[in-house]
């Protein structure tokens, strides 16, 4: 547990911007000025805060894709015809309003880039990452209309991916689940989601990923990408084509991504193996099987506070890999600072030797799709997932918190978590008269274990430091250990009624029952600050009726109106001890006093919108309202100067109102110009009181998410060449929840981020087909900006080392060919 920081503040420098519907605006972020002041330390807590609602983003008209591809039966991918701006097709599903991103748009990014980067171009969506590809799992963050990624459902081919957080306890991130090259489409529904989504965290909607099917013809696909900071990515995919009279087909792919950190020293490595088998049954049914193996080994980026950025600078990072790195880190832990760390108010917190993430995932599933009669279809999946996750950092507070037996000033803090889950979904769809009736069920069992261990680093001069990548044997202290078993049952019923042409009325509900039981295996009171941690208890989330109503009216050829309403709930999460807003990951005392009667988070989301679609112009506007209740936060308070005790509290509601608007103009063939603007007014309904101190948060904009965002893109294609540029304005974001008389409110400044790309397809050259070269520039104007926030929670007031600087300008170039 790292110490919490003193307060300093940025003065935000706003730049005026012009909303243009015909030209892309280029912005250059100004360097923020930072004011120094001294304030006492303040506690911080896990952020589980705000809310969002339904979107109807349409960036250009939906053009009819290949029929087989759209159905998921035979096609390899969904492609939009013509020049597709952002590759985003605004498509209104019969059960929800969604934006669909195709493989065409994903391919415009740097090879292997996180698909959430592309989602971040949509109105109301914000993605922040610590590297140009968005692959660093520690610094990658997604917000959708104020909701964080752990409040948004996510599935891959119907299989649940769980809460998309760093400390994921019931799933895995999308870049670990599948290589981006193997993704066919990404669909995002903001706010309501769909009743049949396999998720327990869909307060702010859901993201559905669909994988590419194996190709009908035998072939191969190879790509090679190079980039800044020794980035090297290789992707190979082999397709069997149809085999025998049964027309069985499969593919196997391997992706390897290797790069160095852009600040500090250390590798960021990932490799992913995917395989998929597809077996058609008759003309309209099939079975498919998917397998994923992911190996992530990343030296992380050291988080910073406003005070650290002001006094020490933006570049300082872990000492690992630098000359005399272990010596300097060891001496800093003893109070002898060799690199100017003492310019900070808390120099030890700028003196970490290393920090590593190691994750191994195995996931697989079988999907089935059977046409039982000409009106009745049965679909579903059976899946399993196993994960082993290690995250480490060298602890310079060893002597204060958990003294090492060798008397050394450093120890290695290693958190190990494991996931073992299995489950299945089933769904029956029946069409009769003007009704599409849907009934389904989802069950999952999840076994999650977590423990924190401390390992002795050698006394300076007596040996080499521990291997940052392990293995780790014989800890001298087990700080905590808990085991959780969760059973989830979700059922849904819905009907889409089409009384007349152009009008669809959707109504339905889902029922959720989620029960988790916890066992405590170890507790080190000097570290946790508690005589006992939660164990032998259970927590249940039960909602029998979560309604969803959607009305979609295409009242003229180019015009559409819609209304959407839904209630959603988030099941109580679990996590590493003290790292989530759950009574089960805190002390037994906190559970007895406040945890037994706590209520789960719920959100009521309303949305109304209009969309115009024509050949040359597409526009949409959506207004939404969200009432977010029972907002849970893990509030921490001092037991000793270096120890904190957490308890979970209901800290009130968030009231949210917002508007998203988007406009795409296609003046000539091949040229697409896109602009969008989002305004979100999400404020806390009351002040927060923790450890006897009241923090003024009432009426304050939620942390981490801006009230204003503007995005613009332009693309031009001519024959086989294409060039595109996109830019985003991210407004000021609050860092602290509130303020006191001693500690002011803090925030980080706005910024512009611009990216550029170009590609050329040479067609067939020898045995190669579709030989393509591409070039990308990330952060074209090389602005300095703060990307991820709250990586170690948000402070109630003042400052905290919870910020990550965004990556500087990076260049990428690559080749891709099919055989």
């Amino acid at each position: 547990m790292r110490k919490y920081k003193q307060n300093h503040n940025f003065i935000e420098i706003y730049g005026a911007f012009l909303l243009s519907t015909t030209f892309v605006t280029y912005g250059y972020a100004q360097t923020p000025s930072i004011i120094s002041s001294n304030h006492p330390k303040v506690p911080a807590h896990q952020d589980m805060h705000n809310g969002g609602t339904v979107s109807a983003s349409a960036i250009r008209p939906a053009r009819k894709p290949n029929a087989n591809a759209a159905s998921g039966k035979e096609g390899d991918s969904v492609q939009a015809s013509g020049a597709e701006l952002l590759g985003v097709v605004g498509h209104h599903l019969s059960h929800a309003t969604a934006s669909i991103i195709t493989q065409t748009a994903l391919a415009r990014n740097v090879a292997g880039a996180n698909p959430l980067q592309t989602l971040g171009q949509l109105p109301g969506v914000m993605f922040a990452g610590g590297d140009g590809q968005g692959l660093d799992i520690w610094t990658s963050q997604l917000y959708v209309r104020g909701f964080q990624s752990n409040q948004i459902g996510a599935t891959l081919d119907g299989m649940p991916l769980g809460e998309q957080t760093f400390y994921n306890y019931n799933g895995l991130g999308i870049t670990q689940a599948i290589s981006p090259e193997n993704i066919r489409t990404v669909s995002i529904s903001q706010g309501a989601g769909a009743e049949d989504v396999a998720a327990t965290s869909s307060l702010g909607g859901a993201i559905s990923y669909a994988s590419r099917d194996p190709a009908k013809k035998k072939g191969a696909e190879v790509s090679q990408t190079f980039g800044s900071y020794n980035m090297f990515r290789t992707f190979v995919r082999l397709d069997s084509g149809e085999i025998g009279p049964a027309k069985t087909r499969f593919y196997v792919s391997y992706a390897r991504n290797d790069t160095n950190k852009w600040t500090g020293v250390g590798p960021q490595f990932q490799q992913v193996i995917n395989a998929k088998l597809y077996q058609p049954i008759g003309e309209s049914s099939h079975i498919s099987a998917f397998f994923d193996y992911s190996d992530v080994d990343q030296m992380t980026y050291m988080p910073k506070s406003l005070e650290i950025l002001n006094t020490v600078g933006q570049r300082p990072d872990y000492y690992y890999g630098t000359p005399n790195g272990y010596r300097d880190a060891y001496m800093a832990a003893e109070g002898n600072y060799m690199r100017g760390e003492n310019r900070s108010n808390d120099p030890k917190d700028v003196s970490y030797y290393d920090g590593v993430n190691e994750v191994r995932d195995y996931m697989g599933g079988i999907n089935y799709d059977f046409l039982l009669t000409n009106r009745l279809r049965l679909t579903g999946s059976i899946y399993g997932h196993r994960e082993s996750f290690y995250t480490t950092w060298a602890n310079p507070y060893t002597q204060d918190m958990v003294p090492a037996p060798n008397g050394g000033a450093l120890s290695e803090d290693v958190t190990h978590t494991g996931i073992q889950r299995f489950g299945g979904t089933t769904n029956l769809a029946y069409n009769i008269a003007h009704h599409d009736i849907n009934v389904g069920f989802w069950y999952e069992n999840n076994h999650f274990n977590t423990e924190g261990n401390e390992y002795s680093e050698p006394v300076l001069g007596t040996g080499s430091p521990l291997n940052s990548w392990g293995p780790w044997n014989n800890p001298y202290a087990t700080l905590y250990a808990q085991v959780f078993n969760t059973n989830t049952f979700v059922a849904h019923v819905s009907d889409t009624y089409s009384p007349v042409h152009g009008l669809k009325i959707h109504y339905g509900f889902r029922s959720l029952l989620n029960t988790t039981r916890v066992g405590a295996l170890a507790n080190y009171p000097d570290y946790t600050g508690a005589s006992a941690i939660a164990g032998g208890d259970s927590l249940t989330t039960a909602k029998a009726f979560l309604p969803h109503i959607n009305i979609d009216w295409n009242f003229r050829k180019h015009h559409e109106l819609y209304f959407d309403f839904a209630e959603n709930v988030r099941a109580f999460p679990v996590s590493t001890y003290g790292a989530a807003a759950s009574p089960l990951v805190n002390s037994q005392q906190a559970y007895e006093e406040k945890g037994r009667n706590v209520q789960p988070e719920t959100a009521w989301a309303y949305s109304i919108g209009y969309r115009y679609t024509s050949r040359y112009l597409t526009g949409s506007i959506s207004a939404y309202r969200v009432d977010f209740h029972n907002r849970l936060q893990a509030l921490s308070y001092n037991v000793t100067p270096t120890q904190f005790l957490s308890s979970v509290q209901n800290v009130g509601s968030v009231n949210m109102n917002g508007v998203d608007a988007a406009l795409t103009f296609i003046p000539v063939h091949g040229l697409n110009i896109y602009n969008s603007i989002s305004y979100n007014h999400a404020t806390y309904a009351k002040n927060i009181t923790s450890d006897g101190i009241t923090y003024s948060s009432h009426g304050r904009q939620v942390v981490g998410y801006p009230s204003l965002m503007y995005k613009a893109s332009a693309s031009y294609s001519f024959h086989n060449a294409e060039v595109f540029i996109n830019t985003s304005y991210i407004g000021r974001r609050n860092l602290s929840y509130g303020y006191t008389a001693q500690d002011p409110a803090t925030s980080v400044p706005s910024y512009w981020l611009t990216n550029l790309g170009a590609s050329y397809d040479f067609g067939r050259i020898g045995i190669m087909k579709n030989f393509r070269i591409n070039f990308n520039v990330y952060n074209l104007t090389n602005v300095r900006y703060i990307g991820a926030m709250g990586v170690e929670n948000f402070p109630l007031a003042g400052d905290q080392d919870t910020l990550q600087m965004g990556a500087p300008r990076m260049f990428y170039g690559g080749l891709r060919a099919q055989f």
Side-chain angles (χ1 to χ4, degrees), residues 472-807:
W472 302 278
N473 300 307
N474 303 317
Y476 71 82
T478 297
L479 309 178
Y480 57 84
Q482 289 177 296
V483 60
F484 306 84
N485 189 270
T486 302
N487 286 287
T488 300
F489 304 84
V490 176
H492 71 272
V493 178
S494 67
D495 177 27
T496 301
Y497 176 49
S498 304
V500 295
H501 178 71
L503 178 62
K504 292 183 181 295
I505 303 172
H506 174 88
Y507 42 91
F509 71 95
R510 71 193 316 235
S511 300
L512 180 145
L513 177 63
N514 175 277
T515 300
T516 297
R517 186 165 183 85
V518 60
L521 306 179
N523 177 46
Y524 196 95
D526 289 343
Y527 178 86
T528 63
S531 58
I533 59 177
D537 296 292
S538 64
L539 210 57
T540 296
T541 305
K543 286 287 185 178
F545 186 72
L546 295 168
H548 179 202
I549 298 173
N550 177 270
I551 301 174
D552 183 21
W553 182 30
N554 290 273
F555 59 95
R556 295 188 66 183
K557 182 177 180 180
H558 302 293
H559 304 268
E560 179 184 6
L561 286 173
Y562 64 87
F563 167 79
D564 206 286
F565 155 78
E567 181 189 12
N568 290 307
V569 66
R570 180 185 182 219
F572 291 111
V574 299
S575 183
T576 292
Y577 178 79
S582 170
L584 296 180
V585 296
N586 291 292
S587 70
Q588 184 66 34
Q589 177 184 353
Y591 176 82
E592 296 291 342
E593 291 179 353
K594 298 179 180 178
R596 289 188 182 276
N597 300 317
V598 72
Q599 296 297 311
E601 298 176 330
T602 60
W604 293 81
Y606 312 82
S607 180
I608 186 169
Y610 165 78
R611 179 185 296 118
Y612 174 83
T613 304
S614 69
R615 180 177 178 181
Y616 300 105
L617 190 67
T618 298
S620 66
I621 185 167
S622 175
Y624 58 90
R625 162 81 181 186
V626 174
D627 296 314
F628 182 14
H629 302 289
N630 302 323
R631 184 168 52 93
L632 301 182
Q633 291 171 347
L635 304 181
S636 303
Y637 53 91
N638 294 68
V639 177
T640 71
T642 58
Q643 297 161 8
F644 297 84
L645 187 64
S646 295
S647 65
V648 173
Q649 292 181 207
N650 182 337
V651 292
S653 302
V654 169
N655 301 314
M656 181 185 301
N657 296 282
V659 177
D660 290 337
L663 184 68
T664 298
F665 181 46
I666 310 173
V668 296
H669 177 72
L671 176 62
N672 292 256
I673 301 172
Y674 159 76
N675 285 262
S676 76
I677 190 165
S678 303
Y679 176 74
N680 175 283
H681 182 69
T683 58
Y684 300 113
K686 70 175 187 178
N687 295 330
I688 298 174
T689 300
S690 176
D691 199 23
I693 301 174
T694 297
Y695 299 86
S696 299
S697 57
H698 177 245
R700 182 167 164 79
Q701 179 78 13
V702 297
V703 295
Y705 187 75
S707 60
L708 182 65
M709 291 190 294
Y710 167 71
K711 299 166 186 178
S713 295
S715 70
Y716 181 68
S717 60
F718 182 74
H719 296 297
N720 294 337
E722 182 183 27
V723 62
F724 72 90
I725 188 169
N726 62 62
T727 188
S728 299
Y729 170 82
I730 306 299
R732 180 179 60 87
R733 293 168 289 163
N734 284 338
L735 172 62
S736 67
Y737 284 86
Y739 58 90
T740 66
Q742 292 75 32
D743 294 282
T746 52
S747 61
V748 303
S750 59
Y751 65 90
W752 287 89
L753 184 65
T754 303
N755 305 310
L756 176 71
S759 66
Y760 188 84
D761 193 331
F762 290 90
R764 179 179 287 275
I765 300 179
I767 63 171
M768 297 185 298
K769 298 180 296 182
N770 300 322
F771 177 65
R772 189 179 188 91
I773 62 172
N774 57 75
F775 177 73
N776 293 78
V777 184
Y778 176 84
N779 192 357
L780 178 66
T781 57
N782 199 30
V783 299
R784 295 181 177 181
Y785 68 98
I786 291 174
M789 300 174 62
V791 295
E792 290 192 326
N793 309 325
F794 290 89
L796 286 169
D799 194 8
Q800 185 185 331
D801 57 340
T802 191
L803 306 173
Q804 290 286 351
M805 294 302 299

Side-chain angles (χ1 to χ4, degrees), residues 222-236:
V222 178
S223 69
Q224 184 65 63
T225 306
F226 306 89
S228 301
Y229 301 95
N230 297 319
M231 183 272 190
F232 185 91
R233 179 181 176 82
T234 302
F235 175 79
V236 179

Side-chain angles (χ1 to χ4, degrees), residues 55 85 104 116 167 181 206 237 279 313 331 366 412 431 433 519 529 648 659 668 683 701 754 798:
S55 170
L85 179 65
T104 304
L116 298 179
Y167 288 116
E181 293 90 341
R237 168 170 157 155
Q279 178 60 62
M331 294 185 68
I366 297 174
E412 195 73 11
N431 174 265
V648 173
V659 177
V668 296
T683 58
Q701 179 78 13
T754 303

Side-chain angles (χ1 to χ4, degrees), residues 88-249:
V88 179
V89 179
H91 181 65
H92 198 76
L93 303 180
S94 62
H95 59 273
T97 303
S99 297
I100 297 179
I101 292 178
T102 70
Q103 187 189 36
T104 304
L106 297 176
R108 283 199 178 118
N109 268 342
V110 179
N114 194 325
L116 298 179
Q117 280 189 340
T118 305
L119 279 180
Q121 283 295 301
L122 293 172
V125 181
M126 188 191 78
F127 174 77
D131 63 290
Q133 292 175 281
L135 297 181
D136 182 72
I137 61 176
W138 170 246
T139 60
S140 295
Q141 288 184 336
L142 178 74
Y143 283 84
V144 179
R145 289 182 171 174
F147 282 112
Q148 295 184 54
S149 55
N150 60 356
Q151 298 164 323
I152 302 165
T155 62
L156 171 63
D157 290 341
M159 298 179 290
L161 299 179
E163 294 197 358
Q164 301 288 283
T165 59
F166 177 70
Y167 288 116
N168 199 334
Y169 67 93
N170 64 351
L172 70 169
I174 185 59
T175 58
Q176 298 157 252
I178 187 172
S179 294
E181 293 90 341
N182 291 327
I183 295 176
R184 179 165 59 95
T185 58
V186 183
S187 173
I188 179 171
S189 175
Q190 301 183 29
E195 293 90 345
D196 58 351
V197 63
T200 59
S201 57
S202 53
L203 282 176
I207 303 173
S208 299
Y209 302 90
S211 66
R212 292 169 58 189
D213 286 335
K216 286 186 176 182
K217 293 184 178 180
K218 182 187 299 185
E221 180 180 336
V222 178
S223 69
Q224 184 65 63
T225 306
F226 306 89
S228 301
Y229 301 95
N230 297 319
M231 183 272 190
F232 185 91
R233 179 181 176 82
T234 302
F235 175 79
V236 179
R237 168 170 157 155
L238 303 176
D239 281 270
S240 69
E242 293 182 340
I243 302 174
K247 298 184 177 180
T248 305
R249 60 187 195 267

